[in-house]
Amino acid sequence: MYKIAKENLTALFQKIAAEQELYLPVKTADKVNFGVWTEDAEVDLDTLKTVKSPKDVFFPQSETLYTCIREGKKIKVEPEALKEQNFVVFGMKACDIKGVEVLDRVFLVDPLDTFYAARRDHGTIVALACHEPEETCFCKVFGVDAAEPAADVATWMIGDELYWKALTEKGEALTEAVKDLLTEDGAAEETVGKEKEAIRGIIEQLPYSHLSLEGWNGDVLMEKFEDPLWDELYKPCLACGTCTFVCPTCQCYDIKDYDTGKNGVQRYRCWDSCMYSDFTMMAHGNNRKSQKERFRQRFMHKLVYYPANNDGMYSCVGCGRCVEKCPASLNIVKVIKAFQKKGGEQ
Amino acid sequence: MKTEQKRAEMIKEISGVNPLKCMKCGKCSASCPSYNEMDIKPHQFVSYVINEDIESLVQSRSLWKCLSCFACIERCPRDVKPGKLIDAARQIVVREKGQDYLTPDEIPELIDPDTPQQLLVSAFRRYRR
Amino acid sequence: MQELINRAKELLADGTVARVLGWKAGDLPYNPEPAYFEKEEDFADFVYNGFCGANLSKYMIEASKLEGKTLVCLKPCDTYSFQELMKEHRVDREKAYIIGVGCKGKLDIEKIRSMGIKGIKSISGAEIEDEAETLTIDTVYGEKTCAYKDAMLERCHVCKGKDHMVFDEVIGESKETKDADRFAEVEKIEAMSPEEKFAFFQKELSKCIRCNACRNVCPACSCRKCVFDSNKFDSAQKANVDSFEEKMFHIIRAFHVAGRCTDCGECSRVCPQGIPLHLFNRKFIKDINELYGEYQAGADLEPRTPLTSYEFEDVEPGIVAERG
Amino acid sequence: MQRIGVFVCHCGTNIAATVDVKKVVEMALHEPGVVHAEDYAYMCSEAGQELIHKAIKEKHLTGLVVCSCSPRMHETTFRNAAEKAGLNPYMVEIANIREHCSWIHKNIDEATEKAVILMRAAVAKVNLDAPLQPGESRVTKRALVIGGGIAGIQTALDIAEAGYPVDIVEKTPSIGGRMSQLDKTFPTLDCSSCILTPKMGEVNAHPLINIYTYSEVESVSGFVGDFTVEIRKKARSVDMNKCTGCGLCQEKCPSKKTPSEFNRGLSTRSAIYTPFAQAVPNVPVIDRDACIKFKTGKCGICSKVCQAGAIDYEQKDEIVTEKYGAIVVATGFDMIKLDRYDEYAYSQSKDVITSLELERIMNAAGPTGGHLERLSDGKAPKEIVFIQCVGSRCADDRGKSYCSKICCMYTAKHAMLIRDKYPDTNVTVFYIDVRTPGKNFDEFYRRAVEDYGVNYIKGQVGKVIPQPDGKLLVQGADLIDNKQILKEADMVVLAAAIEPNPDVRKIATMLTASIDTNNFLTEAHAKLRPVESPTAGIFLSGVCQGPKDIPETVSQAGAAAVKAIGLLAKDKLLTNPCTAHSDELLCNGCSQCANVCPYGAISYEDKEVNDHGIRETRRIAVVNDALCQGCGACTVTCPSGAMDLQGFSNRQILAEVDAICR
Amino acid sequence: MSIEKNEEFRPKIVAFCCNWCSYAGADLAGSSRMSYSADVKIIRVPCSCRVNPMFILRAFERGADGVIMCGCHPGDCHYTSGNFYARRRMTLLFSMLDYIGVENGRTRVEWVSAAEGAKFSQTMHEFVDKITALGKNVRLEDLRCRN
């Protein structure tokens, strides 16, 4: 295991960025989001949660798929190039990494999403363990260990040192590339071990850590779908897309055209939200006419439909961003608890 | 550009007058107190400029007979204001004499602040000949 | 709060109202949610405290369609929104029983977080009955305190006043919270050079994720279908893209609510990226006040707004360039 | 997808000399939806329209773009052509490549490039055009004429003769206007009253004409075929039905110091007065500002002497509301004020007068009983100087930029009349140009010079200096002799510029009729629609449209009448189908649109809608097609974009923007 | 900030003209042969009140360098009051554009009557000069539409 002093991190970033693109938490106008590293960027590794999850590194909020250009009476189709350069994402948390796993099961199965696959192939993830988990965190519920992120490289920020451990071949390669900035530390395992324990200790104390997922699995489709509880739960929902846009696992997108005039018609995809009234709107109208149906869709998808198709894996990783950001203070935890409470009453 | 053409342009530039606006009504000549002293009459000034015969203008007696009373400027219904053309022609003469003369912004530093403005203006007219 | 609950129960019991629209305690100390209460026992979860910032007037659009009256708890600033919605025939006054609730300033959890307070287990001092000047926050990382005032939403510092514009009755006391000039921030930007202005908004708006929270929470944005969702207008965009999109969205949104926006501040409260969206609306309000006379949307039921009325002597658009 | 035909007009060389029309045709064929493009020398000609007809039939076109002159010129022509070939006329768009392109640009490449872009924008718009069907609206078979001068009188008579009722609204107590103030008329020297008075009588007696004198238009609403007008009948203080017009009241009235408007202030009148002896109606009014009874409460002599008991001090202004199908504006003119022409001493000497004052002096019913005399001392003038173009043809803001048109002729008339009646009086006319286009006009002017010895001097007067002895020293220039002239005169007559009646601005605003910088009402087309305002149903008669003499005024009055009759003869009008419509699925029912609608065309109804399967009753804006005039104010006010304007839809305008910016 | 001075720069200018006054004024400028730059392209609208701020923003988004709106003089609107509403709307919109840092010379409103061909031409001259001096619109342009 290696370590690097906090004060040398800039040198580390410079070194990485010299070879490939580097994404990491950057503060802009008071908010921290993943962004491309530049000399001017204000890197912020202390903020636990970026506003948006880093999923857009692999699945951008909007990306052009191809462009149609009119040449006289003919139309030329120019597909967008796939990602060909390697890049590094630094500072992803355990929950977000699990989020990528959820996305993989959607985009990397047949039919393969080549745009996503190219980004996954070329991306190396350097994870950062959660130093001070917060009350909105409930990753433990979904089997995520915030103290021991599973990525290409795992790192821990302890005091003024960043501890570095490569976990995969990609991770080894990156370590090799920056090795002259890292120092070997024999006592590292022990130091990191203590940190892990501390983190796990805090997680035990968090209010959501013991949330029960009992009764949520791929087999309860109709029972949950028809539950009258939805009639009440959705009511505060404002039908905005905040929860879906900050979520590390939401993967719905819409495909739209933009006529640039001179540069042809760009066909692009962009994140969509099942909370939106025109989500999956078709010529005949809408599958889900009411906000209740749209609200139900989101949670049923995360806790029932997705597990049903993915060996019981939930499509929530407990990052807690929706808990923090929902304008109406709704969130998946409240939904789970509401059903739990109702179960208790029965 | 020929000299006369250049001089005509200069007169238009200095005076800010577009002589083509003249409708030949003659109100300038009708208003002029020095009319009888002049060899080229005020309304003719306009056509001399249009025809770019500046030499005749600068040689004319009229140039120095104009009192700058501004009656023609005041009354011209077409915004042609022959008085300004005359004044511009005088300027041409002065400039062509190559005399160094002060510009108005240089004056304040040289002059006693109590000197009446009127005097300064008259001085300008006279000494620039 | 108890008085409010008792009165609500009473009105529910005597059939005056069919339901009560208020706030239900959340599972964290700071996240109560807007909720309907229809039965006596539901009131166990009823809460009204410093974190009940949500403006419930917009929910009355849907509630107006329900059978019977809805009792709605409106803070002073919310009543402006309600009255504006009345003016626009989007809510039915007959379907509402308005209890004007007192307000001592509402809290912003983001402000508390920005002080580095995290792992929150409980918060005391946010109760409406308390005269507490200080919030005491118990966290997994130890006990923290912060001044109530420092945790208040921006909008409460420039409060329009604690009078309810429309109500059936008022319950609870209010406390003046205004301690800043409403247009100071706008003036600060106005004083910048074009380059600085552009850089400022570019930075803020680059964070926008087009989640539409600002729009959907806005009581003035009450369109059944927003132009930005409508294919008819050729302007529908779902996600942020390269450059102009956000500015276009936010300018048009501000323009659509200009003269109707009551400055309730919900847009800025809910923005996940903390974009000070109220700066757009307030700019229009400031311009309207300066150019067309003082105007407060929602303060009356006069149907014409500054943008649907005019004076012969109105200033020309050239004023913008003239005042530089 | 549309099948669009693009037709590029050369307009002879008007377009083709500056725009490469072949290039426009070639580029058009690359545009989406365009299946046909061709050019032709004159698209608007019979042969050009035939090309369009043929292409529509053969290529099964669904839309047309004509690249030609302004749509204000030939849009209707091409729409009609399309309709004849079975195409909806609203599927035609015009790219204005003449007025907006070839005529203002010189560089062929630039002009061609711009023409292509304008063509592209029009194609983009047609792609989104939808066939429109005009609705129908009714026509109120009654006309309103504003102004009771010769223009208004002639228009009213002509309309009434065609069998339609007409109301005349006249601001002063009598009809007659400026013409009633004139003595003789050129070029035949007829007595003005002799030819006008019978017409006034005819109007008064006509069963279909109703005259509101001493009245003003208060408000106008509605639109072509269906205007609603409020007329304020100012309190006359005399009962029109009782008064016999005996004139005793005027004779006995003790307040006789008010300057007579009719005599241009050269004489005075009583407080109760008819402006002149032949006034129609021959019923006096009480000028309440001058009347002792109204000022002090005492007097009441007129009431005492009135045998008919017609005096009514209690009378109040009355508002009459009436509906009209057509409105003719005939508000006439006045002379400009001369207070900014100090050099002519108008305000310093009583003997410097305007031509209209001279008319009154020459008139037998005027202040001097028709004797030509100096107002200062009553002496007969021996030297009279006329000064032309006072305030006309002026480039600065003291006067008017235009030629007042009538002065040359009336001055010749005056000069001639004076020389005829007073042969020992010398008349000198200082002129800049003498303009006499008109039948027998130049002959008339030549007679003044050749037969009557009027001295015409080319050169404007610089100054008029009143002398201590009462003479007027006129300082002028003779540009032909190239000498300055100092002439002593006994009287100076100024041909002051004429200007539209100042009230016309207010009336134009009420009528939404457009007006130019000189306050003359704008005609719909300078050459082809000279008596119509661009606002449908509003017609122009007389000097309100531009300077005119009497014969011209009368012919224009007749023309305006014919246009009005043509309108009134219709039972129904086709309405402009470019009206606003509200998409019921998008409408919030918020009432914002109704707030800005100038026509009250928007109402709201509770309507059950089916919004993609959700059925609910919603408050929805409904536009009354007959009332909507298609301004589009509502479309911008509507935040959800529910309100859209047919023919100028949001998507169409955006498409044009995109095409231009491409 | 240095403005790139490009000798070849030809601005793209969109002019919205109301049908009754300004479009007719532009026609008059045409029939009077009062030339102005070919960079100005006119869109005919029934009334200045038909101009949605979105049209103006869209033009900028699509790469226009200046947008000018012309209508009847206040009080002379063919529809009585349309230009009054337009005046308030544009005043607020321009103020907002100024507020977010867009050079305020890029937008303009001018009242041009049907009789003011000369004013139309003069106004377009001035506006084109102003926009040429300001240079390319980069702040509001959508990158996707860039050349």
Side-chain angles (χ1 to χ4, degrees), chain B residues 56-122:
Chain B
S56 303
L57 277 186
V58 300
Q59 296 300 334
S60 73
R61 199 149 37 95
S62 305
L63 203 60
W64 311 111
K65 290 297 173 188
C66 169
L67 303 171
S68 297
C69 74
F70 297 160
C72 53
I73 292 177
E74 189 62 28
R75 292 186 193 147
C76 175
R78 300 294 308 166
D79 230 3
V80 178
K81 306 173 190 297
K84 290 196 170 180
L85 293 176
I86 295 172
D87 217 48
R90 283 179 190 156
Q91 286 245 31
I92 296 242
V93 174
V94 172
R95 286 194 190 174
E96 286 173 359
K97 275 183 181 169
Q99 286 184 353
D100 285 331
Y101 54 86
L102 296 169
T103 62
D105 26 325
E106 289 170 296
I107 306 297
E109 290 167 22
L110 305 171
I111 294 283
D112 179 356
D114 293 333
T115 313
Q117 293 253 324
Q118 198 75 35
L119 184 79
L120 286 179
V121 175
S122 319

Side-chain angles (χ1 to χ4, degrees), chain E residues 38-53:
Chain E
D39 301 330
V40 177
K41 315 288 188 306
I42 295 171
I43 294 179
R44 183 165 70 130
V45 288
C47 177
S48 52
C49 69
R50 180 67 190 89
V51 179
N52 196 313

Side-chain angles (χ1 to χ4, degrees), chain C residues 53-61 74-91 98 155 160 163-166 217-222 260-267 296-301:
Chain C
N55 180 347
L56 300 183
S57 56
K58 190 169 189 182
Y59 289 94
M60 287 307 292
I61 297 173
L74 297 181
K75 302 186 294 296
C77 51
D78 304 341
T79 60
Y80 289 87
S81 309
F82 187 87
Q83 190 145 270
E84 193 62 28
L85 285 164
M86 271 170 74
K87 197 193 279 190
E88 291 166 14
H89 306 273
R90 302 292 281 129
V91 297
I98 301 170
R155 69 184 187 209
K160 289 185 283 289
D163 292 331
H164 296 84
M165 293 295 112
V166 54
V217 80
C218 173
C221 271
S222 63
R260 301 160 55 227
C261 166
T262 65
D263 201 7
C264 77
E266 285 285 89
C267 46
Q296 172 58 55
D300 56 43
L301 282 170

Side-chain angles (χ1 to χ4, degrees), chain D residues 521-597:
Chain D
L521 287 161
T522 314
E523 57 279 2
H525 189 281
K527 287 131 210 161
L528 304 179
R529 296 172 68 195
V531 300
E532 295 158 80
S533 159
T535 304
I538 308 291
F539 305 99
L540 314 176
S541 174
V543 183
C544 67
Q545 179 263 342
K548 286 179 190 63
D549 56 24
I550 295 170
E552 261 190 286
T553 296
V554 171
S555 25
Q556 202 201 16
V562 169
K563 289 288 174 187
I565 293 164
L567 166 59
L568 297 179
K570 290 179 181 156
D571 290 321
K572 296 267 183 207
L573 290 176
L574 290 184
T575 56
N576 169 18
C578 295
T579 53
H581 278 268
S582 151
D583 181 332
E584 58 182 32
L585 294 185
L586 297 179
C587 179
N588 299 322
C590 71
S591 288
Q592 295 241 76
C593 50
N595 281 336
V596 296
C597 179

Side-chain angles (χ1 to χ4, degrees), chain D residues 397-449:
Chain D
D397 61 355
R398 290 205 296 173
K400 304 292 179 184
S401 60
Y402 50 86
C403 165
S404 294
K405 197 171 186 180
I406 56 176
C407 327
C408 287
M409 287 302 289
Y410 71 58
T411 298
K413 174 189 77 177
H414 289 151
M416 208 185 285
L417 287 171
I418 291 168
R419 292 284 298 154
D420 186 50
K421 223 168 156 186
Y422 309 98
D424 56 342
T425 299
N426 290 321
V427 175
T428 307
V429 178
F430 283 90
Y431 72 96
I432 304 172
D433 300 291
V434 176
R435 296 178 169 176
T436 56
K439 193 172 162 188
N440 294 327
F441 281 17
D442 204 62
E443 293 89 328
F444 184 79
Y445 153 61
R446 290 316 305 168
R447 269 170 67 204
V449 178

Side-chain angles (χ1 to χ4, degrees), chain D residues 14 70-72 75 96 99-100 103-106 110 113-114 117-118 505 509-510 512-517 522 534-536 595-596 598-599 629-633 635-637 644-645 648-650 653-654 656-658 660-662, chain E residues 10 12-14 16 19-21 23-24 26-27 29-31 33-38 40-47 49-55 58-59 62-64 75-82 85 89 113-116:
Chain D
N14 278 312
S70 170
R72 294 160 42 80
E75 188 172 60
N96 185 346
E99 280 85 343
H100 292 185
W103 273 353
I104 45 169
H105 306 313
K106 293 203 176 69
E110 276 186 18
E113 189 192 337
K114 179 168 174 179
I117 292 173
L118 295 178
R505 180 152 273 281
T509 302
M510 282 193 260
T512 71
S514 56
I515 207 166
D516 69 16
T517 39
T522 314
T535 304
N595 281 336
V596 296
Y599 303 99
Q629 298 296 298
C631 67
T635 58
V636 181
T637 301
D644 210 347
L645 188 62
F648 290 96
S649 70
N650 289 324
I653 298 176
L654 289 172
E656 286 180 87
V657 169
D658 290 358
I660 288 174
C661 296
R662 206 153 84 195
Chain E
R10 292 249 323 262
K12 244 182 231 172
I13 291 169
V14 179
F16 291 98
N19 184 45
W20 305 95
C21 287
Y23 194 89
D27 279 357
S31 47
R33 312 298 197 275
M34 293 165 172
S35 75
Y36 51 89
S37 164
V40 177
K41 315 288 188 306
I42 295 171
I43 294 179
R44 183 165 70 130
V45 288
C47 177
C49 69
R50 180 67 190 89
V51 179
N52 196 313
M54 204 180 250
F55 301 161
R58 171 74 152 244
R62 295 301 171 118
D76 292 351
C77 174
H78 179 76
Y79 305 98
T80 45
S81 50
Y85 297 118
R89 288 169 188 158
S113 81
E116 293 176 324

